[in-house]
């Protein structure tokens, strides 16, 4: 059968590395548990949790203290909860959840930071208005005319919003005569005019928000965070994921009392997949650790991960010891995931001081083969692998592509990918964000437009699933006040919203929104579309335009510019939604290299070329520089190695690699 027998000596050696970790926890010696893929880092983390619980549970309970276990994704958090079981002294969550749980009760301090951020944003807008060439004509107006212009546009805000999506000629025609009479120079360039008005409106919203905070108005007394949304709505008192970390860092840095609060409440903090953790999180941990030493309080911070598995640009990677110095180290050489044949390939790819061996004495029997071919042979290659391993829903073949486009194509949403790929924000260096903002399985990282589409497809799917709990469909508990009859009518109404394309679906949604008197329906739609101004069909078009394009052809209406987006088939959007949602009960599943991080599969097929998306020659560089000394290799080599290492180490037993370029023949 394989991977079932362990020699006592190997088990004893593995146990020693775990016991070293236990010893550091006993002495509150913050550490990093650094080891290769498949070594059981999560297993070590869970064992460490169990050890601390067994030794200190009663003491923790008596002092009202907890062990904090921080993960990179919700999926990882759920996995650890399942493996550990229920514990009343452990809190397992993503970093965003944990930071929010720490700072949310510090309402006045968070509010002060929010006021500071609002003022900074207002200052930023003022600086842009006073310096950017786009606003030169506005600067030529005296202060009274500037004030009058804002007042005029605000009085005509509805007209402005309705005309926003028209072409330049139509937009100009829709503006009040007074604009043409007094502000001819401003409206001569419609794109710059819109940019100016949007800036003025945003500044006004921020100023009014500050006034409401100062007046102590009902909904402006505290800040809140909602994991469903990935953009700030500062004027609505809601912060995004990045701003949450920013506030957390500032509070920890500024207030010793906040550091004390963390130390007193969480004497043990364990961080999973440290290499993917943002720099700012490690900085927070270092501040807390140093403060604990200063005041001679005990705290144990342990990082679990592997710097070679750092494949995200936002992760701390090799900078851990630079940002959090004086950490003790624990290494583990044993692999608990893969057969020896896979481990040998992984060691060869990694080619550094960490050389793994299987913990199992019966680890032979895996299969690895490397093929050369052409791009037109990919389907045949996948079919060959599926046939070889008798791929079924219960025995899935997992295919990994170095190009996102192929993942989208084979997963059934190629048009969705193409539309976003052509959007202006993803041109040039922006292309690197496309993988994360469109294909990430962690919705925290989806782009603004993609996040909206995800929420929309989530509702579309859930109202059609009779097994879906109502609490997951509705954004608030207000549905509990509705009668069963009214709930049934609401679900029927939501289910009836449909169309072949995104545009048809949007039209159906807003036709109902404009005519319905059902407040719960309106609330659901408002939560999904999360508009800066009023919720409307035109407002959604504008949101897509401004999120995906920085500049656009003024002779075209918005609908023409984003026509491809609106023409996307609902069936493709659903395929994309299910891909992001990891609905993988299929014979063959397709993945980007990044999306498989932390996962493992019995059968893996990798399709590889010399390039990695916009990273031209990434794998070509890896093969050419392979075996050279550290001072001779490039950062491109390290990036290629890390990505390839993560890819090959997903395999448990069977691995096939198809290389569809010729460079490997020359480089060996």
């Amino acid at each position: 059968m394989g991977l079932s027998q362990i020699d006592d000596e190997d088990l004893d050696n593995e146990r020693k590395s775990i016991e070293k970790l236990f010893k550091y926890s006993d002495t509150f010696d913050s550490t990093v548990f650094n080891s290769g893929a498949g070594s059981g880092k999560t297993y070590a983390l869970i064992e460490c949790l169990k050890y601390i619980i067994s030794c200190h549970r009663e003491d923790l309970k008596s002092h009202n203290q907890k062990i904090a276990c921080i993960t990179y994704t919700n999926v990882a958090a759920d996995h650890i909860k399942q493996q550990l079981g229920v514990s009343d002294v452990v809190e397992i969550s993503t970093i965003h959840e944990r930071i929010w749980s720490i700072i949310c009760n510090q309402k006045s301090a968070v509010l002060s930071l929010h006021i500071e951020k609002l003022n900074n944003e207002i200052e930023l807008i003022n600086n842009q208005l006073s310096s950017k060439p786009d606003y030169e004509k506005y600067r030529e107006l005296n202060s009274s005319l500037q004030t009058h212009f804002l007042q005029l546009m605000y009085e005509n805000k509805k007209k402005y919003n309705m005309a926003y999506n028209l072409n330049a000629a139509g937009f100009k025609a829709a503006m009040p005569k007074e604009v043409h009479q007094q502000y001819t120079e401003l409206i001569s360039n419609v794109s710059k005019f819109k940019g100016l008005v949007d800036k003025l409106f945003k500044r006004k919203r921020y100023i009014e928000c500050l006034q409401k905070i100062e007046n102590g108005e009902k909904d402006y007394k505290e800040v809140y965070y909602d994991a469903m949304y990935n953009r700030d709505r500062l004027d609505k008192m809601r912060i995004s994921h990045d701003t949450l970390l920013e506030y957390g860092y500032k509070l920890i840095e500024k207030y010793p009392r906040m550091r004390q609060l963390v130390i007193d409440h969480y004497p043990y903090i364990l961080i999973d997949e440290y290499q993917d953790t943002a720099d700012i999180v490690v900085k927070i941990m270092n501040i807390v650790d140093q403060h604990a030493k200063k005041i001679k309080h005990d705290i144990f911070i342990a990082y679990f991960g592997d710097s070679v598995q750092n494949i995200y640009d936002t992760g701390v990677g090799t900078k851990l010891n630079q940002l959090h110095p004086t950490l003790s180290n624990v290494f583990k050489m044993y692999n608990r995931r893969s057969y020896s044949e896979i481990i040998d390939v992984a060691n060869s790819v990694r080619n550094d001081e960490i050389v793994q061996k299987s913990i199992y004495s019966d680890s032979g029997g895996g299969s690895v083969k490397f093929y050369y071919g052409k791009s037109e042979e990919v389907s045949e290659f996948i079919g060959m692998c599926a046939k070889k391993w008798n791929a079924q829903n219960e025995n899935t073949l997992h295919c990994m592509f170095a190009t996102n486009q192929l993942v989208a194509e084979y997963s059934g949403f190629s048009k969705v990918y193409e539309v976003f790929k052509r959007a202006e924000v993803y041109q040039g260096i922006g292309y690197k964000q496309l993988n994360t903002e469109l294909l990430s399985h962690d919705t925290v990282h989806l782009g603004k437009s993609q996040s909206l589409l995800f929420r929309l497809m989530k509702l579309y799917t859930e109202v059609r699933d009779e097994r879906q709990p109502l609490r997951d469909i509705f954004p608030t508990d207000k549905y509990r006040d509705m009668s069963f009859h009214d709930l049934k009518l609401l679900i029927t109404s939501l289910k009836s919203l449909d169309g072949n394309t995104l545009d048809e679906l949007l039209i159906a949604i807003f036709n109902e929104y404009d005519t319905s008197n059902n407040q719960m329906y309106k609330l659901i739609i408002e939560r999904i579309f999360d508009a800066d101004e009023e919720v409307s069909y035109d407002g959604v078009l504008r949101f897509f335009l401004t999120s995906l394009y920085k500049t656009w052809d003024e002779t075209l209406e918005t609908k023409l510019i984003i026509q491809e987006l609106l023409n996307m088939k609902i069936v493709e959007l659903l395929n994309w939604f299910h891909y992001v949602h990891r609905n993988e009960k299929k014979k063959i599943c397709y993945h980007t290299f990044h999306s498989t991080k932390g996962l493992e599969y019995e059968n893996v097929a990798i399709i590889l070329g010399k390039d990695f998306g916009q990273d031209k020659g990434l794998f070509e560089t890896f093969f050419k520089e392979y075996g050279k000394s550290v001072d001779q290799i490039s950062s491109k080599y390290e990036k290629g190695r890390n990505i390839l290492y993560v890819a090959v180490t997903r395999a448990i037993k069977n691995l096939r690699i198809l290389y569809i370029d010729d460079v490997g023949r020359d480089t060996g």
Side-chain angles (χ1 to χ4, degrees), residues 607-619:
I607 291 83
L608 196 65
K610 61 184 177 66
D611 303 326
F612 185 73
Q614 292 290 87
D615 286 311
K616 300 302 180 185
L618 187 73
F619 295 121

Side-chain angles (χ1 to χ4, degrees), residues 57-102:
R57 179 175 175 272
E58 294 307 319
D59 197 36
L60 288 166
K61 284 187 69 176
S62 66
H63 290 89
N64 194 28
Q65 293 176 316
K66 303 280 187 179
I67 306 165
C69 178
I70 296 168
T71 65
Y72 186 66
T73 65
N74 284 311
V75 173
D78 290 341
H79 174 71
I80 293 172
K81 288 175 186 176
Q82 188 177 31
Q83 295 295 311
L84 180 67
V86 178
S87 172
D88 54 358
V89 293
V90 181
E91 293 180 352
I92 303 167
S93 68
T94 63
I95 184 61
H96 295 94
E97 289 177 286
R98 186 55 46 232
I99 292 290
W100 181 241
S101 74
I102 292 170

Side-chain angles (χ1 to χ4, degrees), residues 404-406 408-409 413-423 426-427 431 434 438 549 564-565 568 572:
N404 304 330
Q405 193 161 353
L406 283 174
E409 180 184 327
F413 57 91
S414 57
K415 184 66 175 177
V416 176
Y417 177 83
E418 284 294 334
V419 167
F420 281 104
K421 180 184 176 184
R422 285 195 281 268
Y426 298 118
Q427 301 305 302
Y431 180 78
L434 181 60
L438 179 64
Y549 294 88
E564 283 189 324
L565 179 76
M568 290 190 302
E572 284 212 23

Side-chain angles (χ1 to χ4, degrees), residues 6-235:
I6 304 177
D7 287 337
D8 290 341
E9 184 180 350
D10 288 332
L11 191 62
D12 185 56
N13 287 334
E14 182 187 58
R15 192 68 194 169
K16 285 177 181 176
S17 66
I18 303 292
E19 287 173 352
K20 190 175 181 182
L21 186 63
F22 296 167
K23 188 188 87 171
Y24 286 139
S25 74
D26 288 337
T27 57
F28 293 94
D29 190 353
S30 292
T31 186
V32 52
F33 187 91
N34 206 22
S35 55
S39 61
K41 288 185 293 294
T42 303
Y43 169 79
L45 183 150
I46 292 169
E47 287 299 296
C48 190
L49 286 172
K50 289 178 178 177
Y51 176 78
I52 296 169
I53 293 167
S54 67
C55 295
H56 306 290
R57 179 175 175 272
E58 294 307 319
D59 197 36
L60 288 166
K61 284 187 69 176
S62 66
H63 290 89
N64 194 28
Q65 293 176 316
K66 303 280 187 179
I67 306 165
C69 178
I70 296 168
T71 65
Y72 186 66
T73 65
N74 284 311
V75 173
D78 290 341
H79 174 71
I80 293 172
K81 288 175 186 176
Q82 188 177 31
Q83 295 295 311
L84 180 67
V86 178
S87 172
D88 54 358
V89 293
V90 181
E91 293 180 352
I92 303 167
S93 68
T94 63
I95 184 61
H96 295 94
E97 289 177 286
R98 186 55 46 232
I99 292 290
W100 181 241
S101 74
I102 292 170
I103 73 171
C104 67
N105 292 323
Q106 312 303 312
K107 298 186 190 310
S108 60
V110 175
L111 186 61
S112 295
L113 286 179
H114 198 67
I115 292 169
E116 181 184 323
K117 189 173 182 68
L118 282 163
N119 281 313
N120 288 340
E121 290 297 317
I122 292 168
E123 185 180 355
L124 177 62
I125 292 172
N126 287 337
N127 289 338
Q128 291 172 336
L129 292 172
S130 64
S131 62
K132 288 189 71 173
D134 284 3
Y135 311 124
E136 183 179 355
K137 299 297 182 184
Y138 174 75
R139 290 195 293 274
E140 292 175 0
L141 302 174
N142 61 42
S143 60
S144 63
L145 282 176
Q146 288 180 358
T147 302
H148 176 259
F149 174 70
L150 172 59
Q151 182 181 350
L152 175 64
M153 291 310 302
Y154 202 74
E155 288 171 355
N156 290 276
K157 184 170 71 166
K158 188 170 184 179
K159 187 178 289 187
Y160 171 78
N161 288 332
M162 289 179 66
Y164 198 96
N165 295 316
L166 301 175
N167 60 22
F171 178 84
K172 287 180 178 180
M175 289 299 97
K177 287 183 180 179
E178 200 172 347
V179 170
H180 294 283
Q181 290 169 350
Q182 294 195 41
Y183 304 103
T184 309
E185 291 293 321
L186 293 185
I187 203 169
S188 62
N189 184 305
V190 169
S191 178
K192 291 179 181 178
F193 183 87
K194 290 178 181 177
L196 170 64
V197 175
D198 289 348
K199 280 276 188 295
L200 293 174
F201 281 1
K202 179 185 277 191
R203 183 178 66 178
K204 181 175 173 59
R205 290 197 303 271
Y206 287 174
I207 291 171
E208 288 176 347
C209 179
L210 285 171
Q211 291 170 344
K212 290 173 181 176
I213 292 172
E214 187 176 349
N215 295 337
E217 292 191 22
K218 179 185 174 184
D219 295 325
Y220 293 84
K221 294 181 178 180
E222 59 186 78
V223 178
Y224 75 99
Y225 163 74
D226 189 332
M228 274 296 292
Y229 300 92
N230 57 358
R231 69 180 185 121
D232 284 326
R233 290 295 307 277
L234 301 180
D235 56 311

